[in-house]
Amino acid sequence: MDTKITLNHGAGGAIMGELITEIRKRLELKGKWEGQLDDGAYLNAGDSFLVMTTDSYTQSPHFFPGGDIGKLAITGTVNDLAVMGASAIALSLSLVVEEGFPAIDLEKIINSVNDVSRKLNVPIVTGDTKVMPKKELQGIIINTTGIGTTKKIIRNNNLSVGDKIIVSGTIGDHGAAVLASRFDYKTDIISDCAPVVGIINELSGMIKSAKDPTRGGLAACLNELADKSDVRIVVDEEKIPIRKETVAITSVLGIDPLTLACEGRVVIAVSANAESQVLSILKTKNPDAETIGEVVKGEKVILKTKMGERFLDNPRGIGVPRIC
Amino acid sequence: MDTKITLNHGAGGAIMGELITEIRKRLELKGKWEGQLDDGAYLNAGDSFLVMTTDSYTQSPHFFPGGDIGKLAITGTVNDLAVMGASAIALSLSLVVEEGFPAIDLEKIINSVNDVSRKLNVPIVTGDTKVMPKKELQGIIINTTGIGTTKKIIRNNNLSVGDKIIVSGTIGDHGAAVLASRFDYKTDIISDCAPVVGIINELSGMIKSAKDPTRGGLAACLNELADKSDVRIVVDEEKIPIRKETVAITSVLGIDPLTLACEGRVVIAVSANAESQVLSILKTKNPDAETIGEVVKGEKVILKTKMGERFLDNPRGIGVPRIC
């Protein structure tokens, strides 16, 4: 471990991965839970699996085009259960708020939480509220922990040679929208923040693996899938759906859009013979859905570009804090 | 709701209660979960109950005589399950850390988490790590969410006239130890931070109601029990076990020790005929355990003192932030 924690330790890339490995090494008791390095952990509970996942949301600004931190928190946690194949049965909601935080903002955030909770039919069953002095915290931090159930777990380590990789829509919209609103950059782009549970349920049985490309973006997501499945993923840059506005914003800021967070997209691995059916279903929801690559023997992630092939590395860290 | 959130909104007293009521009103979906204003919520899952609870810990200083924020987080969440009669089966651990936080401190905190996890045989199954820029967060915030199971739920609303109220040890030790270390006040007092699950399991079947007097201390705890059970609790000041050092510290600071947090005590309601047996078992664990009062018809909490009787009010708020 380095001597001090840096922003990179929370950025969703390789440096965060190293910190999490260090922490997990120290937590010796594993119990009967499995999948502890996936989006959640699961327990075989007889005729079904119980799944648990947690996330703290520090996103700033708290309100952004397409949503707010309340919508983000509930959506993100339900999505983490969804990509494991699970339907959420309950969420907890823990708020840590800065002294002086405007009550009207808190009200808006809670109303967003309620909207998503109702829409997805997932109750918020327990909570906690803390207030910190203004000089010790800026804004609001929301933790949502979710529990869900499923008859069949979808794992990150289930890719095999010949599988196709599909993404459910344009990538990086959330990160671009947040960055733009942070820097007062004028754009029409809005966050993709949305539940993916409906899509995954509809594709159930046809999916080999699924993952939401949040912190660290598509680059971190693909590297995790390749690494856990012990395969190589080859993706075609031309095929990756991305908005021109996203490219414009990341170009200005010098950020690789492939490391930018999505909050309503899912990367899906399917066997080659299921590809056309899965893609056509996805396209009815979002015409930008696209097959972007395939799984081959080897390791790591390869990006095919006009200039040739290069490794698409897991970002070490990124310089954009509080994006989720 | 007031126009701005104040420290009182997180202090565990009546003002926090009002905020939580406002929040809960806006969260419309209840699902099949019950007990949502107790220490956790529960779901009838056939032959047993599933219980879920969450808490974010903002305690500063992070290290205090008798423990640290890691021990506090795991203990507090397992205790919240225990007072509902449940044994924890899994915990989540979500860290939000200040940029620049010393890695050696994080390591100590994780080691404490591991110690309690092993001691109580409860695995940490899933987690999250975020880092916030130094100017936006001071220190570390830990969220732990716990799920547990039980055949029999213990509720806060189960007190009836004639019941006796017992406390498992001296009150306010945690709050006093934290305050003392914050103000460099020289004292031997150490936090009572400890799991109560062992005691509650041993007394299982004899307990009508149990609650850990954390934020808002004994005063908030008794008021919640009286309010939810629609009874009056009468306690005898002389009987309340408290250390002289605690009184010394609170006197200096002008704080009512009955509002000071405990993190390893439990307030138990028992029927009169079970009192002597429960108390003698408790005294084998901690000789300071004491019957402090009883349940009568009416409402609110009455404190009998040498000067006569007065209402022991639920504190509106308290001026001691980051005590848990």
Side-chain angles (χ1 to χ4, degrees):
Chain A
M1 228 190 265
D2 299 323
T3 56
K4 284 187 187 295
I5 301 303
T6 66
L7 290 174
N8 286 329
H9 285 110
I15 296 176
M16 186 177 89
E18 290 160 17
L19 175 65
I20 291 173
T21 304
E22 281 290 327
I23 292 174
R24 287 223 55 82
K25 249 197 321 209
R26 287 177 167 77
L27 300 175
E28 297 163 282
L29 197 66
K30 306 296 174 200
K32 290 177 182 164
W33 291 75
E34 298 178 72
Q36 303 187 351
L37 287 174
D38 280 6
D39 295 274
Y42 62 89
L43 177 73
N44 189 331
D47 62 341
S48 66
F49 294 93
L50 187 63
V51 187
M52 185 177 194
T53 188
T54 190
D55 243 317
S56 287
Y57 297 84
T58 64
Q59 154 98 42
S60 171
H62 306 314
F63 300 89
F64 51 85
D68 62 40
I69 191 171
K71 180 183 180 187
L72 183 70
I74 305 301
T75 305
T77 296
V78 172
N79 284 354
D80 278 344
L81 292 172
V83 295
M84 297 195 66
S87 299
I89 60 167
L91 295 176
S92 64
L93 178 75
S94 176
L95 311 171
V96 186
V97 188
E98 160 195 13
E99 176 192 13
F101 194 77
I104 194 167
D105 286 353
L106 184 59
E107 214 171 297
K108 280 185 206 158
I109 290 166
I110 298 297
N111 287 341
S112 291
V113 166
N114 183 50
D115 287 346
V116 187
S117 156
R118 287 190 58 155
K119 193 171 156 191
L120 296 177
N121 198 29
V122 183
I124 315 296
V125 302
T126 190
D128 182 45
T129 314
K130 295 274 157 60
V131 182
M132 279 171 68
K134 210 176 175 63
K135 65 174 198 296
E136 298 175 15
L137 174 68
Q138 254 187 40
I140 186 170
I141 297 174
I142 301 183
N143 176 279
T144 39
T145 302
I147 52 178
T149 57
T150 181
K151 298 273 180 204
K152 183 170 171 271
I153 289 285
I154 304 177
R155 293 293 309 268
N156 282 178
N157 63 3
N158 202 30
L159 274 60
S160 44
V161 171
D163 289 350
K164 300 292 181 182
I165 303 294
I166 304 177
V167 61
S168 66
T170 51
I171 59 130
D173 296 20
H174 175 73
V178 172
L179 283 175
S181 66
R182 202 181 282 171
F183 294 108
D184 275 332
Y185 181 98
K186 212 178 135 107
T187 170
D188 293 332
I189 209 160
I190 64 167
S191 166
D192 54 282
C193 181
V196 299
V197 60
I199 294 172
I200 290 176
N201 282 346
E202 200 168 330
L203 298 176
S204 165
M206 291 187 276
I207 292 178
K208 290 191 68 178
S209 200
K211 198 164 181 66
D212 46 341
T214 56
R215 270 185 296 175
L218 187 65
C221 176
L222 293 174
N223 272 283
E224 260 197 75
L225 290 171
D227 194 39
K228 287 179 180 168
S229 299
D230 217 6
V231 293
R232 166 170 289 189
I233 297 175
V234 182
V235 289
D236 188 344
E237 192 179 60
E238 293 246 328
K239 295 277 191 183
I240 298 172
I242 187 164
R243 294 186 198 282
K244 278 182 188 152
E245 298 95 310
T246 302
V247 174
I249 292 165
T250 53
S251 299
V252 168
L253 296 168
I255 292 168
D256 181 353
L258 299 181
T259 66
L260 222 47
C262 310
E263 292 290 347
R265 303 292 182 231
V266 60
V267 172
I268 294 171
V270 294
S271 61
N273 56 27
E275 181 206 350
S276 65
Q277 195 186 349
V278 168
L279 185 60
S280 69
I281 292 171
L282 283 171
K283 276 188 177 292
T284 64
K285 317 285 174 194
N286 185 334
D288 294 319
E290 200 55 76
T291 302
I292 60 168
E294 62 181 342
V295 178
V296 299
K297 237 180 123 176
E299 51 172 14
K300 302 195 172 171
V301 179
I302 298 287
L303 185 70
K304 290 198 290 185
T305 75
K306 280 184 197 167
M307 303 296 181
E309 295 188 354
R310 66 168 174 92
F311 285 112
L312 177 61
D313 290 326
N314 192 7
R316 290 284 299 160
I318 45 170
V320 191
R322 301 192 74 175
I323 202 100
C324 54
Chain B
M1 227 189 261
D2 298 324
T3 56
K4 282 186 187 296
I5 301 302
T6 67
L7 289 175
N8 287 329
H9 285 110
I15 295 175
M16 186 177 89
E18 290 159 18
L19 175 64
I20 291 173
T21 303
E22 282 290 326
I23 292 174
R24 286 224 55 80
K25 249 197 322 208
R26 287 176 167 78
L27 299 175
E28 298 164 281
L29 197 67
K30 307 296 175 199
K32 289 177 180 164
W33 291 74
E34 298 179 72
Q36 303 186 350
L37 287 173
D38 280 6
D39 294 274
Y42 63 89
L43 177 74
N44 189 330
D47 62 341
S48 67
F49 294 93
L50 187 64
V51 187
M52 184 177 195
T53 189
T54 190
D55 243 316
S56 287
Y57 297 84
T58 64
Q59 156 97 43
S60 172
H62 306 314
F63 299 89
F64 51 86
D68 62 41
I69 191 170
K71 178 183 180 187
L72 183 69
I74 305 301
T75 305
T77 295
V78 172
N79 284 353
D80 279 344
L81 293 173
V83 295
M84 297 195 67
S87 299
I89 61 167
L91 295 176
S92 65
L93 178 76
S94 175
L95 311 172
V96 185
V97 188
E98 160 195 12
E99 175 192 12
F101 194 77
I104 193 167
D105 286 353
L106 184 58
E107 213 171 298
K108 281 185 207 160
I109 289 166
I110 298 297
N111 287 341
S112 291
V113 165
N114 182 49
D115 286 346
V116 187
S117 157
R118 287 189 60 154
K119 192 171 155 191
L120 296 177
N121 198 30
V122 183
I124 316 296
V125 303
T126 190
D128 182 44
T129 314
K130 296 272 157 63
V131 182
M132 279 171 68
K134 209 178 176 63
K135 64 175 197 297
E136 297 174 14
L137 174 69
Q138 256 188 37
I140 185 170
I141 296 174
I142 301 183
N143 177 279
T144 40
T145 302
I147 53 178
T149 57
T150 181
K151 298 274 179 203
K152 184 169 171 271
I153 289 285
I154 304 176
R155 292 293 309 266
N156 283 177
N157 64 2
N158 202 31
L159 274 60
S160 44
V161 172
D163 289 350
K164 299 293 180 183
I165 303 294
I166 303 177
V167 61
S168 67
T170 52
I171 59 130
D173 296 21
H174 175 72
V178 172
L179 283 175
S181 66
R182 201 180 284 172
F183 295 109
D184 275 332
Y185 182 99
K186 210 179 138 104
T187 169
D188 293 333
I189 209 160
I190 64 166
S191 166
D192 54 282
C193 181
V196 300
V197 59
I199 294 171
I200 290 175
N201 282 346
E202 199 169 331
L203 297 175
S204 164
M206 290 187 277
I207 292 178
K208 291 192 65 178
S209 200
K211 198 164 181 65
D212 47 341
T214 55
R215 270 185 298 175
L218 187 65
C221 176
L222 293 174
N223 272 281
E224 261 197 75
L225 290 171
D227 195 39
K228 287 179 179 167
S229 299
D230 216 8
V231 294
R232 165 170 288 187
I233 296 175
V234 181
V235 290
D236 188 344
E237 193 179 61
E238 292 246 327
K239 294 278 191 183
I240 298 171
I242 187 165
R243 294 187 199 281
K244 278 183 189 153
E245 298 95 311
T246 302
V247 174
I249 292 165
T250 53
S251 298
V252 167
L253 296 168
I255 292 168
D256 181 353
L258 299 181
T259 67
L260 222 48
C262 311
E263 291 290 347
R265 305 292 182 228
V266 59
V267 173
I268 293 170
V270 294
S271 61
N273 57 27
E275 181 206 348
S276 65
Q277 196 187 348
V278 168
L279 185 60
S280 69
I281 292 170
L282 284 171
K283 275 187 178 293
T284 64
K285 317 285 174 192
N286 185 334
D288 293 319
E290 199 55 76
T291 302
I292 59 168
E294 63 181 343
V295 178
V296 300
K297 237 180 121 175
E299 51 172 14
K300 303 195 170 173
V301 179
I302 299 287
L303 185 70
K304 291 198 290 185
T305 74
K306 280 185 197 167
M307 302 296 181
E309 294 187 355
R310 66 169 174 92
F311 284 113
L312 177 61
D313 289 326
N314 192 8
R316 291 284 298 160
I318 44 170
V320 191
R322 301 192 74 174
I323 201 100
C324 54

